[in-house]
Every structure is written in C-alpha cells, then in structure tokens.
Amino acid sequence: MILEMNNIRKHFGGLEVLKDISLGVDSGEVISIIGPSGSGKSTLLRCATFLETIDGGEIKYMGKTAAHSDENGNAVYVSPQELRAFRSYYGLVFQQFNLFPHYSILKNLTDAPIHVLGKSKDEAEATAMELLNKMGIADKATSYPYQLSGGQQQRVAIARALAMKPEILFFDEPTSALDPELTGEVLKVIRQLAEERMTMVVVTHEMPFAKAVSNRVLFMAGGVIVEQGDPKDVFDNPQEERTKQFLRTFER
C-alpha cells in the first residue's frame, strides 16, 4: 500500500475539520474525493502532503510511518530530515498551478530534479521534454507561465510533479480555475495517466470524470467519509441520504 491514513483528526481553532478519517491507497489505484465545499476534502490532501499537521492519527507511506499518535492521542512527526524523504513519494497539483513565474517552462520542470534528486542538467532536460511532449506542449519549453493559457499552465504543473517520479499524485480540484474548454484538456491528461496506472487521489467537482476514471469514489461531508465504493455504486445507487442530496444538485 502506497498511502495509509488512519484515524486522522484535524482542528482549526474550535472547528473540527477532519473527524477520525481513515483512507488507504493501493498502487495503481485512482481515488476521487467528492463532496460539498467545506467538507474537509482539501484539508485531507493537505494533511497527506504535510502542508497541514494532523492533531491525531497515523500517516504512512510505503509502509513507513511519518506521523503517529502518542499515548495522549497527540500527533508526533518524524524529524524534518526524515520528512524530506517522505516528500519524495508524492507529487501535488494545486488549483492555481503554482508555477515559478520568473522561470521558463523548461526550468520549472528541471529545477527540482537537479537540486533535489541530483540529476544532471542533460538528464533533467531530457525527462522534462519527454513529459512536455506527452502533455502536448513541447513547443512551449522556452516560454514563461504568463504566455500560456490556464489549461497549458496546469499541464505544465502536472508535468512538473511527474518529473520528480512520485509514487502517488494528489490533485486538489485541478480544473476549478479553468473554463469548460480548458477543463477538458486537463482531464484528458489525468485520464491518460489513469490508463497508465499512475496512482492518484483527485479532489474534484467533475462528477462524470470521477465516475469514468476512478476505481473508488469517496463522498465526504462534515469532516467524515459518508460513503465510499465503486463509482457506479456511489453515483447510480448511493446508500446514504446525504450522498443522494449532494448528487441531486448535479442533476439539475
């Protein structure tokens, strides 16, 4: 199993955002997380990628523990050095692309492989060009982010995450900043990665996409996983009233 999150709890002040959530992700699996705004979806991803610290529970990558609860139920993390090693297991694609504006597209892709993975410039550039080609934007290698459309920038962000050769890719609503036409470009890339058996966890509002691409769908509301299962079961025959209510809003 690539990722295990057990009994995860997270508060912001007096607000309990994640309430005892457990999630496991196997190699090659694509999991979509759906649910209303404020249900804890993005917070769960941010906890999985150490952008937020959990209050209690356990996070494991590749069978190794990154955080666990002590005898008082409080989360204890491994050292910052050890955490750096854990960060190499995953890539994260944000809503807002988060590209370096002052770097060319090629440098956006090669900077981390050279400085973090210790790749040679030639090797990093060869991998970067291969990935840009796969994304259909090899001709943009010398351009800067501001010269690209939102859909192209998001494809660069996906290529940049893949350049680090992660075991698992997280997407936090990767199309929410895009118009419908550009959304299709990005979803096509994610669909292609799914066909190649890339392990992915995708927080999304794109229901037809989640149904078509996922092995498993999780519906979150109020900081808990209300329902999960095969996409066909969750979308066509939801068991929980809260899930039914949520899905009805997409049928209108």
Side-chain angles (χ1 to χ4, degrees), residues 14-230:
L15 182 66
E16 195 178 16
V17 181
L18 300 176
K19 305 170 185 175
D20 196 25
I21 282 194
S22 295
L23 165 69
V25 186
D26 282 319
S27 180
E29 198 174 16
V30 179
I31 295 177
S32 288
I33 304 178
I34 63 170
S37 296
S39 57
K41 306 183 301 293
S42 293
T43 302
L44 184 63
L45 243 56
R46 291 176 67 81
C47 288
T49 53
F50 313 124
L51 293 171
E52 298 285 357
T53 53
I54 58 173
D55 295 323
E58 180 182 53
I59 303 174
K60 285 183 172 185
Y61 277 95
M62 312 298 286
K64 292 181 265 192
T65 302
H68 69 279
S69 286
D70 63 15
E71 60 274 11
N72 300 316
N74 299 318
V76 179
Y77 281 80
V78 294
S79 70
Q81 263 135 326
E82 289 172 290
L83 216 49
R84 231 189 335 267
F86 278 99
R87 287 196 172 97
S88 70
Y89 291 130
Y90 62 80
L92 176 58
V93 179
F94 298 91
Q95 296 175 22
Q96 301 293 345
F97 328 134
N98 285 23
L99 300 174
F100 296 115
H102 54 296
Y103 284 179
S104 71
I105 298 309
L106 189 62
K107 189 163 166 56
N108 262 284
L109 263 70
T110 58
D111 195 58
I114 291 168
H115 294 108
V116 179
L117 300 181
K119 302 279 185 197
S120 70
K121 188 167 185 276
D122 288 349
E123 190 184 357
E125 287 188 352
T127 301
M129 288 310 299
E130 204 179 294
L131 286 166
L132 289 175
N133 195 40
K134 181 176 181 170
M135 301 290 154
I137 44 175
D139 59 328
K140 303 293 183 187
T142 57
S143 302
Y144 285 81
Y146 76 91
Q147 297 171 305
L148 273 58
S149 71
Q152 289 170 331
Q153 288 188 58
Q154 193 60 294
R155 281 182 279 161
V156 172
I158 294 170
R160 182 177 65 177
L162 288 169
M164 296 298 284
K165 306 220 177 321
E167 299 287 341
I168 182 171
L169 263 188
F170 294 101
F171 293 88
D172 187 7
E173 297 190 15
T175 59
S176 67
L178 305 175
D179 66 36
E181 194 178 340
L182 300 180
T183 291
E185 288 176 17
V186 173
L187 295 181
K188 187 177 166 192
V189 167
I190 300 174
R191 197 179 291 254
Q192 184 187 343
L193 292 172
E195 283 165 10
E196 293 167 10
R197 307 271 301 148
M198 180 75 207
T199 310
M200 294 184 281
V201 177
V202 187
V203 168
T204 184
H205 281 113
E206 299 291 335
M207 298 301 139
F209 167 79
K211 187 176 178 180
V213 173
S214 315
N215 303 105
R216 191 153 43 106
V217 171
L218 270 62
F219 170 64
M220 281 182 70
V224 298
I225 296 170
V226 175
E227 187 162 353
Q228 63 175 305
D230 182 276

